Structure formats: C-alpha cells, structure tokens
Amino acid sequence: MVEDLRWKRVLLKLSGEALMGDQSFGIDPKVVERVASEIAEAVRLGAQFGIVVGGGNIFRGVALAAKGGNRVTGDHMGMLATIMNSLTLADALRGLGIQARVLSAVPVPSICESFTQRGADRYMEDGDVLLFAGGTGNPFFTTDSGAALRAAEMRCDAFLKGTQVDGVYDADPKLVPDAKRFETLTPGEVLEKGLKVMDATAIALARDNQIPVVVFSIHTSGALVNVLRGNGLYTVVSD
Ligand code: UDP
C-alpha cells in the first residue's frame, strides 16, 4: 500500500554505533535486523531510501591519529568500516525481501558496486534501497558530510538523521532531565549555538541544497515510519 508520505525520497543517516546495541564495539545482528525491519516497513509504504551508515562502531581515523598514527590511513580504515556496516544492513534488508544494493565511493569491485550518480539514480527509480558506503571517498570528511552530499545528488526530500534521542535538545537529555527539545531550528541556529546535530560541513551542504535535516530516534520502534508520515517526535533543521 503506497501512502502519501510527508517525505518520500529520503537519505537515512545512521551512525555506526546504531548497529552496536549494548556492545562497546562492532555489530549486533539483532539490532541490524530490527533497524532493517523498520526500513522495510517504510519501503512497503512507498518511501525511497538512500542509506549511509557511519563506521564509528569499528574504526575512526581520528582515534588512530590521536595515538600518533597516520590520519589518512586511519580515515581509509574508517571508510572500510562503513562498507562492512553497509554490507550487513543490505543483507538484513534482502532477508526481508527488500532489493538492496551497496554502492561504494571507494572501489572494491569484488565486494560491491562503485557509486556513480547516474547508476544510483536508475536504481532508485526502480525502487531499490541504496546503501552509500565509503563516505565521500576522501579522508578528513565524515559520513554525515558524505550523506549530505548523496542527499543532494539524489535530490532527496529530506535528510533523516537517526540518533539515540528523539530530536535536538539544548543539553544532553540523558544527563540533564529538563533539557529542552527543539521542534524546529535553522541551520544558522545550529551552527551559532554549537548544537551537536552534525558537523558544520554537512549542515552547510544540506542548507545550500534546501534539504531539511530531520533528527529522530532510530531506537524508538515505529519512529521511522511515523516521521515519514510527519507524525511523532523529531526536530526539523531548515531555513
Ligand atoms: N571517513 C572518511 N571520509 C568520509 C567518511 C568517513 O575518512 O568521507 C572515515 C573517518 O575516519 C571516520 C570514519 O570513516 O571517522 C567513520 O565515519 P564516521 O566517524 O562519520 O562514522 P559515525 O560516527 O557516523 O559512525
């Protein structure tokens, strides 16, 4: 059943930690299954998905650099981590009968296809769920920036940022019980107030391409579909 959704073609960004569950590292297959089933439900309602999963549950380049290692090598390792996460989420989606493809910014042709905008456009028109792996393909960037770039290239209606909490707060709601949640914010306010939504490059890229950033909880069951319908709790960052 295809619904008239508030946002139909979306870029869903998940941090690598969203696949980690209670573990301190890596991938929890049960969590991957749950996230995949939320996405599958939304696909069945007619939503089109590009998905970017980070790699922080496995590796971050800055962590290597902080210990005296080479930042560029570390970032290469981080990009490889995003491919691992994308592969597992794609498998889980296929297990639920959803056609999913991993398209990487870093060519690893024996494992997955490489990203081209035209190829991705065709696949998305066919209704495939696309997992954009490898970030931007360049060191010194984040997967948030990679996701904003793909959202612009794919002309997405919204950039959905799935986080641990149901929106943007003025303080960490897990530490400050009366922290205030914002319904809406402008990208300028996010940058001025130093709110931790995503890095400034990603915010600016979304703003420059008039793509609203919708922050919601990926851990709340049913929240993804609710958000696509324009219901439930979330914060919209747009001008
Ligand atoms: N990374 C990179 N270029 C990109 C995207 C990611 O070098 O365009 C590397 C970087 O080392 C980063 C790691 O991949 O720390 C994992 O990505 P990110 O930290 O964005 O993951 P998340 O925090 O969303 O799990």
Side-chain angles (χ1 to χ4, degrees), residues 163-169 173 181-182 215-217 233-235:
T163 68
Q164 314 284 334
V165 290
D166 53 15
V168 184
Y169 285 78
R181 193 174 63 83
F182 298 99
V215 183
F216 75 104
S217 165
L233 294 178
Y234 54 82
T235 301

Side-chain angles (χ1 to χ4, degrees), residues 64-76:
L64 187 67
K67 291 183 181 152
N70 182 310
R71 170 71 191 267
V72 174
T73 305
D75 281 343
H76 288 161

Side-chain angles (χ1 to χ4, degrees), residues 13-17 54-57 59-62 74-75 78-79 82 134-144:
K13 165 71 209 307
L14 304 174
S15 69
E17 283 162 2
N57 56 323
F59 207 84
R60 282 205 176 93
V62 281
D75 281 343
M79 287 187 256
T82 71
T136 62
N138 298 291
F140 301 102
F141 283 93
T142 64
T143 51
D144 282 345

Side-chain angles (χ1 to χ4, degrees), residues 119-139:
D121 218 24
R122 264 200 314 274
Y123 289 143
M124 210 176 239
E125 289 300 333
D126 288 348
D128 298 353
V129 170
L130 304 181
L131 290 108
F132 299 123
T136 62
N138 298 291

